[in-house]
Amino acid sequence: MSITLSTRRFAWPVTLAVLSGFGLGMAHADTPSNDAPADLPEVRVSANAGGGYVPTESRGATRTDTPLREIPQSVRVVTTELIDDLGATRLADTVDYVSGVSRLNDFGGTWDNYAIRGFSSTDMGYLVNGFPGSRGYNPMRDTATVERFEFLKGPAAAVYGSSEPGGTINIVTKKPRFTPATSAELSVGTLGFRRAAVDSTGPITDKLAYRLNVMGEDGASRSSLIDNNKYLVAPALAWALDDKTLLQYEGEFMRVRTPLDRGLVNVNGRIDLPRNRYLGEPNDPNLHLSSDTHQLTLERELAPGWRTRIGASYKESGFEGYAADLGSVLPDGRTLTRRHSWRTLPSRDTSMQAEVEGNFDTGGLGHRMLFGVDASRLHMGMDIAYSTLATNPYAIDIYQPVYGQPKPPLVMTTSTRENQRNVGAFVQDEISLSEQWKVLAGVRFDSYHQRLDNLITGRSTSQDQHAVSPRLGVTWLPNAQTSLYASWGKSFRPNSGVDEAGNPFDPQSGRALEAGVKWQSADAKLGATLAVFDIRKSNVLTRSPTNPNFSVAAGEVTSRGFEADAFGQLDQHWRVSASFTLTNAKVTEDNAIAPGTRVTNIPKVSASLLAIREDAMPRFGGRYGVGTGIVYVGSRSGNATDTYSLPAYATVKLVSYWQIDRKTRVFFDVHNVFDKEYYPASWGNLAVIPGLGRQFVAGVKYQF
């Protein structure tokens, strides 16, 4: 039985091993051997046909099987091979090696928050198999279930709705396959790091396959006074109802225990505390974070060249616990006020999607049409209690801290319930004018409703908004290795709250222009992308000029820059991944911030290089690999008004492994080799987040 479906110009493999939610991703190396039993489904691997670091297709950007070189957009895919070479256990371990991505405040080490081309990804910052994945309050993303990360630069609103104009990350998860395979990995390191993971997949029947990922970790900590741990279980099933229909379920259940670690503080713009200084309360119990996700998708071929996908996602997350929140440094330059706090932040996110895709010709032009609708409902609660700064300062000496002070009483200060509903419809046409010229055109219509209930004041506000998000791009392919493109697109993102007259704000509106060049070697083992961009976002909330207790949607932020990525196999021994970014992100209109002020945490210059040499291991057999990763991040504004800066830094890591045989691999990595003190990001006017010191990690991976 074969589950692979294809037509003359339209190939979308429907396989039990390869599809992601709504087909927005495909497995990289789950191809069964040629001598696999004939009654098992054939697995075609189109998303990473180039292998290694160089995928040739990725569904995330267009939701279709369009070759990357034809997409008028910069797309950087962090493949399984690159994740393994980096020794990445979290999404956070990969972002430094992608151009245009900057680290932002991570809310005390509890969630993923990055800027793409200068714009924060907090709300719709990433997708999981094409479904919203970061709305609400979510633990930091682990790599145990990840096949690859797709960094989709530029506006994604034309197919995904509410988002930032800088870009979106689509996370593609591992899929079941019919070839039995199990791998187990164990690693240990300094700074308290311990990790174990198991990945198992195989057939249950001739039409039903499973995959199960299990992971447990004691995470590294910057201070011996605190620790963290997490556990993950992720089952997946794929059922071929017939040779044209695939039903797939994926679940992911994560539990995290971690402190709310705001980091260090700056005193008059100076950062002189050691990176292991902890300014919270070590005896406070760790926060409890949880995330339970279910995704169900059905994909079917309707006719040659036509298929449909429908699916649903449900995610429930929680965030609860006590912490010592930082206040301010008193005039003596050493006393830090704090507030004892408790918070619970539950959320529920439900999404449904349906789409039809088809290929046809009209008037000598080829078309790949995509029609889709989706609907979502998001509920978020927020209950926060603080002690009172005026009567219970709960202060600490930042240079000679004394812990274990009596807990001051808590007073409920925030209690809200927010509900959002959204319905969207989109259409997209990929037009083939000739072998050399391609056009991508699309538009999406969104209807959005938001209601916020304040349980303390008894006041409720609601708003209804509508948005139209078009995009247009042109690609020229002068030869088989090179493509040049230009694109234009718009985005939107709702603004929460109301103005002083009680009227809801207009949504934020983004406009982006981009042009670039893509190149790929004839053997698809080496690739590169160069891009320039110009982005403007308006209707950003800023302080009202008539009442400082309210805001108006009158701010504007712009970002212009240049990006370059090169990646792949240089020869039979060397593989590399390199990036360079030049970004000028600044506030251009605001009632409280001077025009021209740099956007917080966005460096003007950043760069990275990972270079690995692999060869046969002398005397002992097998193959070895050794390499280095270098990351440079320029100076950045530390707060919104740019009154202090975070210094530039460069870090170096060493990676090494020995592939003893096809089943056994041992590895040894050194992170931050020179024990550099550096600060990846800041939070507001006070807190500065320190990076980890030198860390050694060793491990073994065995495939059964």
Side-chain angles (χ1 to χ4, degrees):
M1 178 184 71
S2 173
I3 306 296
T4 298
L5 307 177
S6 62
T7 65
R8 176 172 58 90
R9 296 182 57 254
F10 174 87
W12 56 282
V14 182
T15 74
L16 300 183
V18 176
L19 293 176
S20 75
F22 283 123
L24 292 175
M26 314 190 76
H28 85 286
D30 287 345
T31 307
S33 60
N34 294 332
D35 57 356
D39 60 341
L40 295 183
E42 173 190 353
V43 178
R44 279 190 51 199
V45 184
S46 62
N48 273 333
Y53 295 175
V54 189
T56 57
E57 295 181 8
S58 173
R59 297 185 63 91
T62 62
R63 302 174 76 123
T64 64
D65 285 319
T66 305
L68 281 171
R69 62 191 302 264
E70 296 183 10
I71 298 175
Q73 176 183 0
S74 176
V75 179
R76 179 70 167 99
V77 179
V78 177
T79 63
T80 296
E81 291 84 356
L82 183 51
I83 292 172
D84 289 343
D85 283 347
L86 288 171
T89 60
R90 303 172 303 160
L91 169 61
D93 297 328
T94 69
V95 296
D96 292 330
Y97 293 86
V98 179
S99 68
V101 182
S102 308
R103 294 175 180 266
L104 301 180
N105 164 43
D106 60 7
F107 197 57
T110 62
W111 66 22
D112 288 299
N113 187 19
Y114 313 103
I116 302 178
R117 293 180 172 175
F119 297 95
S120 171
S121 63
T122 302
D123 183 20
M124 278 289 289
Y126 67 79
L127 310 165
V128 179
N129 300 319
F131 291 102
S134 60
R135 301 192 301 193
Y137 311 98
N138 304 274
M140 301 185 79
R141 187 74 200 187
D142 195 89
T143 60
T145 61
V146 175
E147 180 65 39
R148 67 182 183 277
F149 299 112
E150 301 175 335
F151 291 82
L152 316 175
K153 310 291 186 65
V159 286
Y160 295 116
S162 172
S163 56
E164 290 287 350
T168 301
I169 306 170
N170 183 41
I171 300 172
V172 180
T173 56
K174 297 174 181 177
K175 309 303 172 189
R177 62 172 179 168
F178 277 91
T179 304
T182 299
S183 66
E185 182 174 336
L186 178 66
S187 53
V188 298
T190 56
L191 305 181
F193 178 78
R194 306 288 187 274
R195 181 180 174 93
V198 175
D199 180 1
S200 180
T201 187
I204 299 175
T205 69
D206 63 341
K207 293 187 177 182
L208 182 66
Y210 80 93
R211 191 151 195 166
L212 178 65
N213 279 274
V214 180
M215 181 278 302
E217 178 185 293
D218 287 332
S221 299
R222 68 180 181 88
S223 171
S224 60
L225 298 176
I226 53 177
D227 62 8
N228 63 86
N229 58 72
K230 61 182 176 181
Y231 304 94
L232 180 147
V233 177
L237 294 170
W239 182 17
L241 302 178
D242 55 43
D243 64 351
K244 296 182 179 180
T245 311
L246 176 72
L247 179 66
Q248 187 165 250
Y249 164 79
E250 293 185 55
E252 183 176 292
F253 310 96
M254 178 178 281
R255 299 293 182 269
V256 178
R257 302 293 181 264
T258 185
L260 183 65
D261 180 14
R262 295 292 195 181
L264 308 177
V265 296
N266 78 85
V267 180
N268 298 321
R270 302 189 322 274
I271 309 168
D272 54 9
L273 294 176
R275 62 174 164 235
N276 65 351
R277 179 63 44 83
Y278 185 58
L279 299 176
E281 281 296 321
N283 294 326
D284 280 347
N286 280 343
L287 298 172
H288 289 205
L289 282 63
S290 63
S291 177
D292 297 339
T293 303
H294 306 269
Q295 291 187 0
L296 186 67
T297 60
L298 178 71
E299 184 160 353
R300 179 173 175 80
E301 182 188 28
L302 302 174
W306 288 85
R307 57 89 186 155
T308 185
R309 287 192 295 256
I310 59 175
S313 173
Y314 177 77
K315 179 171 65 68
E316 188 167 344
S317 60
F319 184 116
E320 183 175 0
Y322 293 90
D325 273 84
L326 309 185
S328 61
V329 177
L330 297 182
D332 64 4
R334 62 184 305 141
T335 303
L336 172 67
T337 62
R338 302 180 304 173
R339 291 191 293 177
H340 180 43
S341 68
W342 171 86
R343 53 176 53 80
T344 180
L345 310 171
S347 66
R348 298 188 303 272
D349 193 353
T350 304
S351 301
M352 301 186 69
Q353 302 177 345
E355 63 188 52
V356 175
E357 178 185 343
N359 272 25
F360 58 91
D361 295 329
T362 58
L365 302 179
H367 298 266
R368 180 186 282 116
M369 292 290 296
L370 179 69
F371 305 90
V373 295
D374 58 45
S376 66
R377 181 186 293 267
L378 174 66
H379 169 80
M380 295 186 294
M382 180 181 295
D383 293 298
I384 304 177
Y386 286 113
S387 61
T388 304
L389 272 173
T391 57
N392 296 285
Y394 200 38
I396 193 170
D397 188 325
I398 62 175
Y399 296 108
Q400 294 181 328
V402 176
Y403 304 109
Q405 301 179 47
K407 307 290 186 189
L410 295 170
V411 178
M412 188 69 71
T413 58
T414 302
S415 184
T416 62
R417 302 294 182 268
E418 182 174 352
N419 291 281
Q420 301 176 11
R421 297 196 308 271
N422 187 82
V423 177
F426 59 90
V427 59
Q428 176 181 273
D429 190 6
E430 299 172 63
I431 307 170
S432 179
L433 304 178
S434 67
E435 290 297 321
Q436 287 75 40
W437 289 94
K438 314 291 179 181
V439 174
L440 172 65
V443 63
R444 178 181 168 110
F445 305 89
D446 280 278
S447 178
Y448 174 90
H449 174 80
Q450 179 188 40
R451 178 184 175 90
L452 181 66
D453 299 316
N454 190 318
L455 303 187
I456 294 180
T457 65
R459 181 181 179 185
S460 297
T461 59
S462 63
Q463 55 182 312
D464 293 280
Q465 298 176 345
H466 304 276
V468 179
S469 305
R471 75 168 169 179
L472 178 65
V474 179
T475 304
W476 175 45
L477 299 91
N479 54 55
Q481 282 75 53
T482 308
S483 61
L484 293 83
Y485 69 89
S487 65
W488 164 86
K490 297 186 69 176
S491 67
F492 83 99
R493 180 175 172 180
N495 276 315
S496 298
V498 295
D499 61 19
E500 56 192 296
N503 299 315
F505 299 113
D506 291 334
Q508 298 178 18
S509 176
R511 183 273 299 156
L513 298 171
E514 179 179 343
V517 180
K518 300 179 183 180
W519 175 85
Q520 188 169 275
S521 62
D523 59 4
K525 292 184 178 180
L526 188 63
T529 301
L530 285 77
V532 294
F533 58 88
D534 184 318
I535 304 173
R536 183 181 70 245
K537 185 170 73 168
S538 55
N539 289 342
V540 179
L541 294 186
T542 180
R543 184 183 302 167
S544 170
T546 58
N547 188 337
N549 294 319
F550 288 88
S551 298
V552 293
E556 182 180 88
V557 178
T558 62
S559 180
R560 299 180 177 91
F562 167 79
E563 298 171 349
D565 289 274
F567 40 87
Q569 196 81 26
L570 292 177
D571 56 28
Q572 62 177 334
H573 297 298
W574 286 95
R575 56 184 179 271
V576 299
S577 174
S579 70
F580 175 81
T581 308
L582 181 63
T583 303
N584 183 16
K586 60 185 179 181
V587 175
T588 49
E589 293 183 17
D590 196 276
N591 292 329
I593 302 173
T597 301
R598 296 183 299 170
V599 176
T600 307
N601 284 309
I602 308 302
K604 180 169 288 188
V605 178
S606 60
S608 70
L609 172 66
L610 176 70
I612 295 180
R613 176 180 170 80
E614 182 178 297
D615 205 344
M617 174 69 81
R619 299 179 60 185
F620 298 102
R623 297 186 67 80
Y624 75 91
V626 294
T628 185
I630 303 172
V631 171
Y632 172 79
V633 178
S635 64
R636 290 135 291 147
S637 171
N639 59 2
T641 54
D642 199 14
T643 56
Y644 78 97
S645 296
L646 299 180
Y649 67 88
T651 61
V652 178
K653 71 188 303 180
L654 298 178
V655 298
S656 62
Y657 63 85
W658 177 22
Q659 190 73 42
I660 300 174
D661 52 38
R662 60 186 302 270
K663 292 185 176 182
T664 311
R665 177 186 178 111
V666 296
F667 56 90
F668 178 72
D669 299 338
V670 185
H671 304 285
N672 194 2
V673 174
F674 299 107
D675 205 24
K676 174 74 174 181
E677 292 199 7
Y678 67 102
Y679 310 100
S682 61
W683 175 60
N685 295 323
L686 183 69
V688 176
I689 302 165
L692 287 179
R694 183 188 298 116
Q695 183 190 21
F696 301 93
V697 177
V700 59
K701 182 175 183 179
Y702 185 78
Q703 296 181 334
F704 298 91

